[in-house]
Protein backbone atom coordinates (compact mmCIF):
# COMPACT_ATOMS: atom_id res chain seq x y z
CA UNK A 1 0.00 0.00 0.00
CA UNK A 2 1.52 3.33 -1.09
CA UNK A 3 1.58 6.06 1.53
CA UNK A 4 0.03 9.11 -0.14
CA UNK A 5 1.38 12.37 1.22
CA UNK A 6 -0.04 15.89 1.14
CA UNK A 7 -3.48 17.35 1.64
CA UNK A 8 -6.73 18.31 -0.03
CA UNK A 9 -9.24 21.02 0.83
CA UNK A 10 -12.69 19.99 2.02
CA UNK A 11 -14.70 18.63 -0.87
CA UNK A 12 -11.74 17.36 -2.87
CA UNK A 13 -11.39 14.01 -1.10
CA UNK A 14 -12.38 12.15 -4.32
CA UNK A 15 -9.11 13.37 -5.88
CA UNK A 16 -7.10 11.86 -3.04
CA UNK A 17 -9.01 8.58 -3.39
CA UNK A 18 -8.39 8.48 -7.15
CA UNK A 19 -4.71 9.29 -6.72
CA UNK A 20 -4.27 6.48 -4.20
CA UNK A 21 -6.21 4.08 -6.40
CA UNK A 22 -3.86 4.73 -9.33
CA UNK A 23 -1.07 2.91 -7.50
CA UNK A 24 -3.15 -0.19 -6.92
CA UNK A 25 -5.24 -0.14 -10.07
CA UNK A 26 -2.92 1.27 -12.72
CA UNK A 27 0.60 0.36 -11.61
CA UNK A 28 1.62 3.91 -10.75
CA UNK A 29 5.27 4.20 -9.66
CA UNK A 30 5.82 7.79 -8.51
CA UNK A 31 3.61 10.80 -9.12
CA UNK A 32 2.12 14.05 -7.90
CA UNK A 33 -1.10 15.95 -8.58
CA UNK A 34 -1.86 19.58 -7.77
CA UNK A 35 -5.03 21.59 -8.33
CA UNK A 36 -5.54 25.34 -8.05
CA UNK A 37 -9.03 26.79 -7.83
CA UNK A 38 -9.62 30.52 -8.05
CA UNK A 39 -5.91 31.10 -7.54
CA UNK A 40 -5.67 29.02 -4.36
CA UNK A 41 -4.18 25.55 -4.03
CA UNK A 42 -6.84 23.00 -3.03
CA UNK A 43 -5.05 19.71 -3.85
CA UNK A 44 -1.39 18.89 -3.24
CA UNK A 45 -0.63 15.17 -3.25
CA UNK A 46 2.39 13.01 -3.94
CA UNK A 47 3.44 9.43 -3.43
CA UNK A 48 5.45 6.47 -4.63
CA UNK A 49 9.11 6.55 -5.62
CA UNK A 50 11.24 8.89 -7.70
CA UNK A 51 13.53 6.00 -8.67
CA UNK A 52 12.35 2.64 -10.01
CA UNK A 53 11.90 -0.34 -7.78
CA UNK A 54 15.25 -1.56 -6.58
CA UNK A 55 17.08 1.37 -8.15
CA UNK A 56 17.69 -0.51 -11.40
CA UNK A 57 18.65 1.64 -14.36
CA UNK A 58 17.67 1.49 -17.99
CA UNK A 59 18.60 3.78 -20.82
CA UNK A 60 15.72 6.27 -20.96
CA UNK A 61 14.93 5.66 -24.62
CA UNK A 62 11.56 5.08 -26.22
CA UNK A 63 10.46 2.38 -28.61
CA UNK A 64 8.89 4.28 -31.48
CA UNK A 65 8.42 1.23 -33.62
CA UNK A 66 5.45 -0.35 -31.84
CA UNK A 67 3.44 2.64 -30.76
CA UNK A 68 -0.20 2.25 -29.97
CA UNK A 69 -2.93 4.84 -30.24
CA UNK A 70 -6.54 4.40 -29.30
CA UNK A 71 -8.30 7.66 -29.96
CA UNK A 72 -4.98 9.40 -29.58
CA UNK A 73 -3.07 6.91 -27.47
CA UNK A 74 0.48 5.75 -28.24
CA UNK A 75 3.46 3.98 -26.77
CA UNK A 76 5.61 5.58 -24.13
CA UNK A 77 9.31 5.48 -23.53
CA UNK A 78 11.31 3.84 -20.83
CA UNK A 79 14.47 4.20 -18.94
CA UNK A 80 16.39 5.90 -16.24
CA UNK A 81 19.36 8.14 -15.81
CA UNK A 82 22.47 6.61 -14.27
CA UNK A 83 23.63 10.07 -13.21
CA UNK A 84 20.65 12.43 -12.84
CA UNK A 85 19.20 12.60 -9.33
CA UNK A 86 20.16 10.96 -6.08
CA UNK A 87 20.81 7.24 -6.18
CA UNK A 88 18.40 4.83 -4.61
CA UNK A 89 19.77 3.33 -1.43
CA UNK A 90 20.59 -0.35 -1.00
CA UNK A 91 17.37 -0.64 1.00
CA UNK A 92 15.16 0.29 -1.96
CA UNK A 93 14.09 3.11 -4.22
CA UNK A 94 14.08 6.73 -3.13
CA UNK A 95 10.63 8.06 -2.21
CA UNK A 96 8.94 10.83 -4.16
CA UNK A 97 9.12 14.10 -2.20
CA UNK A 98 6.97 17.20 -2.30
CA UNK A 99 9.64 19.01 -4.32
CA UNK A 100 10.38 16.18 -6.77
CA UNK A 101 10.49 17.45 -10.35
CA UNK A 102 9.94 15.38 -13.45
CA UNK A 103 10.58 15.33 -17.19
CA UNK A 104 7.09 16.03 -18.54
CA UNK A 105 7.63 15.42 -22.25
CA UNK A 106 4.98 17.12 -24.41
CA UNK A 107 3.38 18.86 -21.45
CA UNK A 108 6.29 21.20 -22.20
CA UNK A 109 4.52 22.30 -25.38
CA UNK A 110 1.80 24.00 -23.36
CA UNK A 111 4.30 26.01 -21.34
CA UNK A 112 6.27 26.94 -24.46
CA UNK A 113 3.11 28.02 -26.31
CA UNK A 114 2.61 30.81 -23.79
CA UNK A 115 5.76 32.52 -25.06
CA UNK A 116 4.56 33.51 -28.56
CA UNK A 117 1.14 34.41 -27.18
CA UNK A 118 2.68 36.70 -24.58
CA UNK A 119 4.96 38.20 -27.24
CA UNK A 120 1.87 38.92 -29.31
CA UNK A 121 0.14 40.38 -26.26
CA UNK A 122 3.09 42.73 -25.81
CA UNK A 123 3.10 43.75 -29.47
CA UNK A 124 6.32 41.96 -30.38
CA UNK A 125 4.97 39.19 -32.60
CA UNK A 126 2.23 39.12 -35.25
CA UNK A 127 0.41 35.79 -35.17
CA UNK A 128 -0.85 36.43 -38.70
CA UNK A 129 2.62 37.38 -39.92
CA UNK A 130 4.79 35.06 -41.95
CA UNK A 131 7.40 33.08 -40.06
CA UNK A 132 9.94 34.14 -42.69
CA UNK A 133 9.46 37.78 -41.69
CA UNK A 134 11.27 36.94 -38.47
CA UNK A 135 13.33 34.03 -39.77
CA UNK A 136 14.22 34.61 -43.45
CA UNK A 137 15.88 31.23 -44.00
CA UNK A 138 12.62 29.48 -43.17
CA UNK A 139 10.95 30.39 -46.47
CA UNK A 140 13.04 27.81 -48.34
CA UNK A 141 11.46 24.77 -49.99
CA UNK A 142 7.95 26.20 -50.36
CA UNK A 143 7.41 27.56 -46.84
CA UNK A 144 7.32 31.26 -47.70
CA UNK A 145 3.59 31.50 -46.84
CA UNK A 146 3.72 29.75 -43.46
CA UNK A 147 2.15 31.95 -40.79
CA UNK A 148 3.05 32.05 -37.10
CA UNK A 149 -0.41 30.73 -36.25
CA UNK A 150 0.19 27.76 -38.58
CA UNK A 151 3.27 26.88 -36.56
CA UNK A 152 1.37 26.98 -33.26
CA UNK A 153 -1.58 24.95 -34.60
CA UNK A 154 0.53 22.15 -36.13
CA UNK A 155 -0.36 23.24 -39.68
CA UNK A 156 3.17 24.00 -40.95
CA UNK A 157 3.53 20.69 -42.77
CA UNK A 158 6.96 19.92 -41.32
CA UNK A 159 6.37 17.17 -38.73
CA UNK A 160 9.16 15.03 -40.21
CA UNK A 161 12.75 15.40 -41.34
CA UNK A 162 14.05 13.70 -44.46
CA UNK A 163 17.32 13.27 -42.60
CA UNK A 164 16.66 12.70 -38.89
CA UNK A 165 18.93 14.33 -36.33
CA UNK A 166 21.15 12.47 -33.91
CA UNK A 167 20.53 13.11 -30.21
CA UNK A 168 23.62 15.33 -30.12
CA UNK A 169 22.43 17.36 -33.11
CA UNK A 170 18.95 17.67 -31.63
CA UNK A 171 20.24 19.63 -28.65
CA UNK A 172 23.08 21.66 -30.17
CA UNK A 173 20.87 24.66 -30.95
CA UNK A 174 22.00 24.84 -34.59
CA UNK A 175 21.22 21.61 -36.42
CA UNK A 176 17.51 21.54 -35.54
CA UNK A 177 16.63 25.04 -36.80
CA UNK A 178 18.76 24.50 -39.89
CA UNK A 179 17.01 21.20 -40.66
CA UNK A 180 13.43 22.47 -40.34
CA UNK A 181 14.29 25.60 -42.36
CA UNK A 182 15.54 23.41 -45.21
CA UNK A 183 12.78 20.79 -45.00
CA UNK A 184 10.11 20.71 -47.71
CA UNK A 185 6.56 20.46 -46.28
CA UNK A 186 4.77 17.14 -46.63
CA UNK A 187 1.47 18.96 -47.17
CA UNK A 188 0.65 22.49 -48.28
CA UNK A 189 1.07 24.65 -45.16
CA UNK A 190 -2.19 25.81 -43.66
CA UNK A 191 -4.37 23.25 -45.45
CA UNK A 192 -4.21 20.40 -42.92
CA UNK A 193 -2.79 19.62 -39.52
CA UNK A 194 -0.61 16.92 -38.03
CA UNK A 195 1.15 16.72 -34.69
CA UNK A 196 4.71 18.11 -34.89
CA UNK A 197 5.91 15.84 -32.12
CA UNK A 198 9.64 16.65 -32.28
CA UNK A 199 10.07 19.40 -34.87
CA UNK A 200 7.97 21.76 -32.75
CA UNK A 201 11.11 22.20 -30.64
CA UNK A 202 13.17 23.79 -33.39
CA UNK A 203 10.29 25.61 -35.08
CA UNK A 204 9.16 27.43 -31.95
CA UNK A 205 12.55 27.73 -30.29
CA UNK A 206 14.18 29.42 -33.26
CA UNK A 207 11.21 31.74 -33.87
CA UNK A 208 11.40 32.97 -30.28
CA UNK A 209 15.15 33.46 -30.52
CA UNK A 210 14.80 35.49 -33.71
CA UNK A 211 12.10 37.71 -32.20
CA UNK A 212 13.58 38.26 -28.74
CA UNK A 213 17.31 37.57 -29.01
CA UNK A 214 16.89 35.13 -26.11
CA UNK A 215 16.56 31.36 -26.09
CA UNK A 216 13.09 30.15 -25.25
CA UNK A 217 14.34 28.52 -22.04
CA UNK A 218 15.85 31.77 -20.86
CA UNK A 219 12.68 33.68 -21.77
CA UNK A 220 10.52 31.28 -19.78
CA UNK A 221 12.88 31.51 -16.80
CA UNK A 222 13.01 35.32 -16.79
CA UNK A 223 9.43 36.17 -17.77
CA UNK A 224 7.36 33.32 -16.33
CA UNK A 225 9.09 30.96 -13.90
CA UNK A 226 10.91 33.47 -11.69
CA UNK A 227 8.10 36.04 -11.39
CA UNK A 228 5.60 33.31 -10.53
CA UNK A 229 7.98 31.34 -8.31
CA UNK A 230 7.78 28.17 -10.42
CA UNK A 231 10.05 25.16 -10.15
CA UNK A 232 9.94 24.77 -13.90
CA UNK A 233 12.86 24.64 -16.32
CA UNK A 234 13.45 24.35 -20.04
CA UNK A 235 17.15 23.68 -19.66
CA UNK A 236 17.63 22.12 -16.23
CA UNK A 237 20.36 23.77 -14.10
CA UNK A 238 22.94 21.31 -12.85
CA UNK A 239 22.23 22.20 -9.23
CA UNK A 240 18.61 21.05 -9.62
CA UNK A 241 19.42 17.64 -11.07
CA UNK A 242 19.11 15.82 -7.77
CA UNK A 243 15.41 16.69 -7.53
CA UNK A 244 14.44 14.98 -10.77
CA UNK A 245 12.73 11.61 -10.86
CA UNK A 246 14.02 9.10 -13.38
CA UNK A 247 11.52 7.87 -15.93
CA UNK A 248 10.94 4.21 -16.68
CA UNK A 249 8.22 2.20 -18.36
CA UNK A 250 5.41 0.69 -16.34
CA UNK A 251 3.07 -2.00 -17.56
CA UNK A 252 -0.66 -1.67 -17.13
CA UNK A 253 -2.08 -3.98 -14.49
CA UNK A 254 -4.79 -6.35 -15.59
CA UNK A 255 -8.10 -4.62 -14.93
CA UNK A 256 -10.92 -6.50 -13.17
CA UNK A 257 -13.87 -7.27 -15.40
CA UNK A 258 -15.90 -4.63 -13.58
CA UNK A 259 -13.67 -1.93 -15.00
CA UNK A 260 -14.68 -2.84 -18.55
CA UNK A 261 -12.80 -4.20 -21.54
CA UNK A 262 -9.26 -3.15 -22.31
CA UNK A 263 -9.08 -0.56 -25.07
CA UNK A 264 -7.27 -1.63 -28.21
CA UNK A 265 -5.67 0.61 -30.77
CA UNK A 266 -7.57 1.13 -33.98
CA UNK A 267 -6.19 -0.90 -36.85
CA UNK A 268 -5.25 2.19 -38.90
CA UNK A 269 -3.39 3.69 -35.95
CA UNK A 270 -1.48 0.51 -35.15
CA UNK A 271 -0.56 0.14 -38.81
CA UNK A 272 0.71 3.71 -38.95
CA UNK A 273 3.08 3.05 -36.07
CA UNK A 274 4.38 -0.14 -37.65
CA UNK A 275 5.01 1.44 -41.04
CA UNK A 276 8.51 3.01 -41.11
CA UNK A 277 7.44 5.27 -44.00
CA UNK A 278 4.32 6.67 -42.32
CA UNK A 279 4.20 10.25 -41.09
CA UNK A 280 3.39 8.86 -37.67
CA UNK A 281 6.53 6.79 -37.37
CA UNK A 282 8.73 9.42 -39.04
CA UNK A 283 7.46 12.28 -36.86
CA UNK A 284 8.46 10.54 -33.65
CA UNK A 285 11.75 9.44 -35.24
CA UNK A 286 12.86 12.97 -36.15
CA UNK A 287 15.57 12.27 -33.56
CA UNK A 288 17.25 8.94 -34.34
CA UNK A 289 18.30 7.02 -32.36
CA UNK A 290 15.85 8.11 -29.73
CA UNK A 291 17.47 10.14 -26.95
CA UNK A 292 18.03 9.05 -23.38
CA UNK A 293 15.64 11.43 -21.65
CA UNK A 294 17.39 10.94 -18.31
CA UNK A 295 20.80 11.95 -19.65
CA UNK A 296 22.00 15.16 -17.92
CA UNK A 297 22.85 16.64 -21.33
CA UNK A 298 19.28 16.07 -22.52
CA UNK A 299 17.84 17.59 -19.35
CA UNK A 300 20.05 20.66 -19.75
CA UNK A 301 18.95 21.20 -23.37
CA UNK A 302 16.12 23.49 -24.45
CA UNK A 303 13.63 21.37 -26.37
CA UNK A 304 10.20 23.03 -26.07
CA UNK A 305 8.47 20.03 -27.65
CA UNK A 306 9.48 17.55 -25.00
CA UNK A 307 12.30 18.51 -22.67
CA UNK A 308 10.70 20.49 -19.87
CA UNK A 309 11.26 19.57 -16.23
CA UNK A 310 8.76 20.68 -13.62
CA UNK A 311 6.92 19.89 -10.43
CA UNK A 312 3.17 19.33 -10.48
CA UNK A 313 2.89 22.41 -8.28
CA UNK A 314 4.67 24.56 -10.87
CA UNK A 315 2.54 23.38 -13.77
CA UNK A 316 -0.76 23.79 -11.93
CA UNK A 317 0.30 27.24 -10.77
CA UNK A 318 1.36 28.16 -14.31
CA UNK A 319 -2.04 27.26 -15.74
CA UNK A 320 -3.81 29.01 -12.87
CA UNK A 321 -1.79 32.12 -13.70
CA UNK A 322 -2.79 31.97 -17.36
CA UNK A 323 -6.46 32.44 -16.48
CA UNK A 324 -6.48 34.51 -13.31
CA UNK A 325 -4.39 36.33 -10.74
CA UNK A 326 -2.37 34.50 -8.12
CA UNK A 327 -2.40 36.32 -4.77
CA UNK A 328 1.14 35.19 -3.91
CA UNK A 329 2.76 35.83 -7.29
CA UNK A 330 6.02 37.81 -7.14
CA UNK A 331 5.05 40.15 -9.96
CA UNK A 332 3.08 43.33 -10.34
CA UNK A 333 2.04 42.43 -13.90
CA UNK A 334 -1.76 41.99 -13.79
CA UNK A 335 -1.53 40.70 -10.22
CA UNK A 336 0.20 37.55 -11.44
CA UNK A 337 -2.19 36.89 -14.34
CA UNK A 338 -0.35 36.06 -17.55
CA UNK A 339 -3.00 36.13 -20.29
CA UNK A 340 -5.15 39.15 -21.00
CA UNK A 341 -8.76 38.18 -21.84
CA UNK A 342 -8.17 38.49 -25.60
CA UNK A 343 -5.06 36.31 -25.39
CA UNK A 344 -6.92 33.68 -23.40
CA UNK A 345 -9.61 33.61 -26.07
CA UNK A 346 -7.02 33.12 -28.81
CA UNK A 347 -5.26 30.32 -26.93
CA UNK A 348 -8.37 28.17 -26.77
CA UNK A 349 -10.11 29.08 -30.01
CA UNK A 350 -10.05 26.12 -32.36
CA UNK A 351 -7.46 26.45 -35.13
CA UNK A 352 -7.16 22.79 -36.16
CA UNK A 353 -9.68 19.96 -35.92
CA UNK A 354 -10.37 16.62 -37.53
CA UNK A 355 -8.11 13.83 -38.77
CA UNK A 356 -4.55 14.40 -37.63
CA UNK A 357 -2.09 13.37 -40.33
CA UNK A 358 0.43 12.21 -37.74
CA UNK A 359 -1.62 10.83 -34.86
CA UNK A 360 -4.22 9.52 -37.36
CA UNK A 361 -7.13 10.03 -34.94
CA UNK A 362 -9.07 13.28 -34.76
CA UNK A 363 -7.41 16.01 -32.69
CA UNK A 364 -8.22 19.64 -31.81
CA UNK A 365 -5.71 22.44 -31.33
CA UNK A 366 -5.90 26.08 -30.41
CA UNK A 367 -2.81 28.25 -30.66
CA UNK A 368 -0.27 25.87 -29.16
CA UNK A 369 -2.71 24.07 -26.89
CA UNK A 370 -4.66 20.85 -27.23
CA UNK A 371 -8.37 21.37 -26.69
CA UNK A 372 -10.92 19.17 -24.96
CA UNK A 373 -12.25 16.35 -27.15
CA UNK A 374 -12.33 12.56 -27.55
CA UNK A 375 -8.60 12.35 -28.27
CA UNK A 376 -7.68 14.60 -25.36
CA UNK A 377 -10.37 14.57 -22.66
CA UNK A 378 -9.90 17.46 -20.24
CA UNK A 379 -12.36 18.87 -17.69
CA UNK A 380 -14.85 20.39 -20.10
CA UNK A 381 -15.44 22.16 -23.43
CA UNK A 382 -13.50 25.29 -22.46
CA UNK A 383 -10.40 23.48 -21.15
CA UNK A 384 -7.02 23.88 -22.84
CA UNK A 385 -3.61 22.42 -22.05
CA UNK A 386 -1.33 19.62 -23.14
CA UNK A 387 -0.68 15.96 -22.31
CA UNK A 388 2.73 14.34 -22.31
CA UNK A 389 3.49 11.06 -23.98
CA UNK A 390 3.49 8.45 -21.26
CA UNK A 391 1.05 9.99 -18.80
CA UNK A 392 1.62 13.53 -17.52
CA UNK A 393 -1.08 16.15 -18.09
CA UNK A 394 -1.59 19.85 -17.33
CA UNK A 395 -4.40 22.20 -18.29
CA UNK A 396 -6.63 25.10 -17.29
CA UNK A 397 -10.37 25.50 -17.35
CA UNK A 398 -11.43 29.15 -17.17
CA UNK A 399 -15.10 28.37 -16.53
CA UNK A 400 -14.24 26.14 -13.56
CA UNK A 401 -11.42 28.56 -12.61
CA UNK A 402 -8.91 25.75 -12.15
CA UNK A 403 -5.33 24.92 -13.02
CA UNK A 404 -4.54 21.19 -12.95
CA UNK A 405 -1.31 19.21 -13.20
CA UNK A 406 -0.40 15.56 -12.86
CA UNK A 407 3.18 14.36 -13.36
CA UNK A 408 4.54 10.83 -13.25
CA UNK A 409 7.79 8.96 -13.78
CA UNK A 410 6.00 5.76 -14.77
CA UNK A 411 5.67 5.89 -18.55
CA UNK A 412 2.71 4.01 -19.97
CA UNK A 413 1.51 3.55 -23.51
CA UNK A 414 -0.42 6.69 -24.26
CA UNK A 415 -0.14 10.34 -25.22
CA UNK A 416 -3.54 11.92 -24.79
CA UNK A 417 -5.80 9.85 -22.54
CA UNK A 418 -3.74 8.11 -19.88
CA UNK A 419 -6.08 6.23 -17.49
CA UNK A 420 -4.30 7.58 -14.40
CA UNK A 421 -4.68 11.18 -15.50
CA UNK A 422 -8.25 10.58 -16.60
CA UNK A 423 -9.16 9.06 -13.22
CA UNK A 424 -7.91 12.23 -11.56
CA UNK A 425 -9.78 14.51 -13.97
CA UNK A 426 -12.99 12.61 -13.32
CA UNK A 427 -12.42 13.00 -9.58
CA UNK A 428 -11.92 16.75 -10.00
CA UNK A 429 -15.15 16.93 -12.00
CA UNK A 430 -16.99 14.99 -9.28
CA UNK A 431 -15.61 17.24 -6.55
CA UNK A 432 -16.54 20.45 -8.35
CA UNK A 433 -20.04 19.20 -9.11
CA UNK A 434 -20.63 18.36 -5.45
CA UNK A 435 -19.28 21.71 -4.27
CA UNK A 436 -21.46 23.63 -6.71
CA UNK A 437 -24.63 21.61 -6.07
Amino acid sequence: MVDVQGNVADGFEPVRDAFAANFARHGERGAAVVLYREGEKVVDLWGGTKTPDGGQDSDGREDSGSGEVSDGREVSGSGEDPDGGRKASDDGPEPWAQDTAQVVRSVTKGVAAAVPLLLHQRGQLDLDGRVSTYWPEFKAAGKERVLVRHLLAHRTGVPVLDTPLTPAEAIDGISGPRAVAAQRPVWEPGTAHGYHAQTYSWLLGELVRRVTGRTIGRWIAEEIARPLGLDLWLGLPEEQRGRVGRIAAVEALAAPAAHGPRLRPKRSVAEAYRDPESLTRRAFAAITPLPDENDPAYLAAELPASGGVATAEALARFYAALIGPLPSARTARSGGRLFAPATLTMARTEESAGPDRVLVVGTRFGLGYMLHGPACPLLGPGSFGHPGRGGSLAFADPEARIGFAYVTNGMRRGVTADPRAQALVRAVRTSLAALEA
Side-chain angles (χ1 to χ4, degrees):
M1 186 73 174
V2 172
D3 184 17
V4 172
Q5 302 290 315
N7 56 76
V8 298
D10 291 345
F12 288 93
E13 292 84 1
V15 182
R16 180 172 56 206
D17 294 342
F19 184 69
N22 278 344
F23 289 90
R25 192 171 295 165
H26 295 299
E28 185 72 276
R29 172 178 285 117
V33 61
V34 174
L35 180 71
Y36 273 77
R37 186 187 188 207
E38 297 180 344
E40 299 291 347
K41 186 162 52 177
V42 294
V43 172
D44 186 6
L45 299 170
W46 65 94
T49 62
K50 65 178 288 189
T51 56
D53 298 341
Q56 296 176 348
D57 289 335
S58 55
D59 66 2
R61 293 178 174 85
E62 299 188 82
D63 175 9
S64 67
S66 58
E68 296 181 13
V69 179
S70 179
D71 291 331
R73 274 163 250 192
E74 48 176 292
V75 78
S76 76
S78 64
E80 301 176 35
D81 175 18
D83 300 310
R86 297 185 295 271
K87 293 292 185 182
S89 70
D90 293 338
D91 297 327
E94 183 180 347
W96 192 288
Q98 186 176 20
D99 69 345
T100 295
Q102 189 57 56
V103 178
V104 293
R105 291 184 168 172
S106 286
V107 171
T108 313
K109 289 183 174 78
V111 177
V115 178
L117 290 172
L118 289 171
L119 291 173
H120 174 76
Q121 182 173 292
R122 299 177 189 183
Q124 297 175 258
L125 179 65
D126 181 1
L127 298 178
D128 291 310
R130 295 183 179 185
V131 173
S132 60
T133 299
Y134 306 98
W135 179 4
E137 298 90 336
F138 187 75
K139 63 183 168 184
K143 301 191 298 300
E144 62 276 355
R145 297 184 181 275
V146 175
L147 306 181
V148 173
R149 69 172 56 249
H150 293 158
L151 189 157
L152 295 175
H154 297 268
R155 303 180 72 82
T156 304
V158 190
V160 303
L161 295 177
D162 291 338
T163 303
L165 302 181
T166 67
E169 291 170 334
I171 65 176
D172 68 16
I174 298 172
S175 301
R178 181 182 295 159
V180 293
Q183 178 67 41
R184 182 168 296 280
V186 294
W187 66 77
E188 183 181 348
T191 64
H193 80 284
Y195 188 50
H196 288 52
Q198 301 279 23
T199 57
Y200 191 86
S201 279
W202 311 301
L203 291 167
L204 183 56
E206 185 65 10
L207 176 65
V208 170
R209 190 186 71 82
R210 297 288 180 124
V211 172
T212 68
R214 289 183 276 180
T215 67
I216 190 169
R218 180 181 169 192
W219 203 98
I220 289 170
E222 294 176 349
E223 304 289 342
I224 297 176
R226 290 175 194 166
L228 293 176
L230 306 181
D231 288 338
L232 181 159
W233 303 274
L234 185 56
L236 183 72
E238 184 177 357
E239 64 270 18
Q240 299 293 342
R241 194 186 304 163
R243 296 175 55 183
V244 181
R246 299 200 297 273
I247 64 172
V250 294
E251 293 298 324
L253 301 181
H259 291 136
R262 179 172 174 168
L263 293 171
R264 298 289 183 182
K266 295 180 179 179
R267 181 181 299 275
S268 59
V269 176
E271 290 172 350
Y273 273 90
R274 286 194 296 266
D275 180 2
E277 299 302 317
S278 71
L279 292 182
T280 308
R281 184 80 171 265
R282 292 173 63 202
F284 286 98
I287 305 174
T288 300
L290 292 163
D292 178 353
E293 296 174 275
N294 294 309
D295 185 335
Y298 182 88
L299 297 176
E302 298 185 17
L303 293 174
S306 59
V309 177
T311 62
E313 153 70 24
L315 290 167
R317 186 173 172 83
F318 163 76
Y319 274 101
L322 291 185
I323 65 174
L326 295 175
S328 58
R330 298 196 299 267
T331 177
R333 190 190 298 274
S334 302
R337 177 170 178 161
L338 291 176
F339 281 173
T343 307
L344 176 58
T345 297
M346 287 188 294
R348 61 184 184 140
T349 296
E350 185 179 276
E351 292 279 333
S352 298
D356 186 303
R357 292 202 177 186
V358 171
L359 295 181
V360 181
V361 299
T363 56
R364 299 178 65 228
F365 288 94
L367 288 175
Y369 294 96
M370 274 194 168
L371 306 180
H372 175 74
C376 184
L378 302 174
L379 187 68
S383 303
F384 67 101
H386 218 289
R389 192 179 192 189
S392 296
L393 174 68
F395 67 88
D397 189 291
E399 284 68 40
R401 305 178 300 282
I402 64 115
F404 169 95
Y406 158 74
V407 303
T408 177
N409 63 7
M411 300 292 106
R412 285 190 50 162
R413 295 187 175 189
V415 68
T416 61
D418 184 273
R420 297 163 298 175
Q422 288 305 303
L424 295 169
V425 172
R426 287 193 298 271
V428 170
R429 190 180 296 119
T430 297
S431 298
L432 292 174
L435 289 169
E436 295 169 1

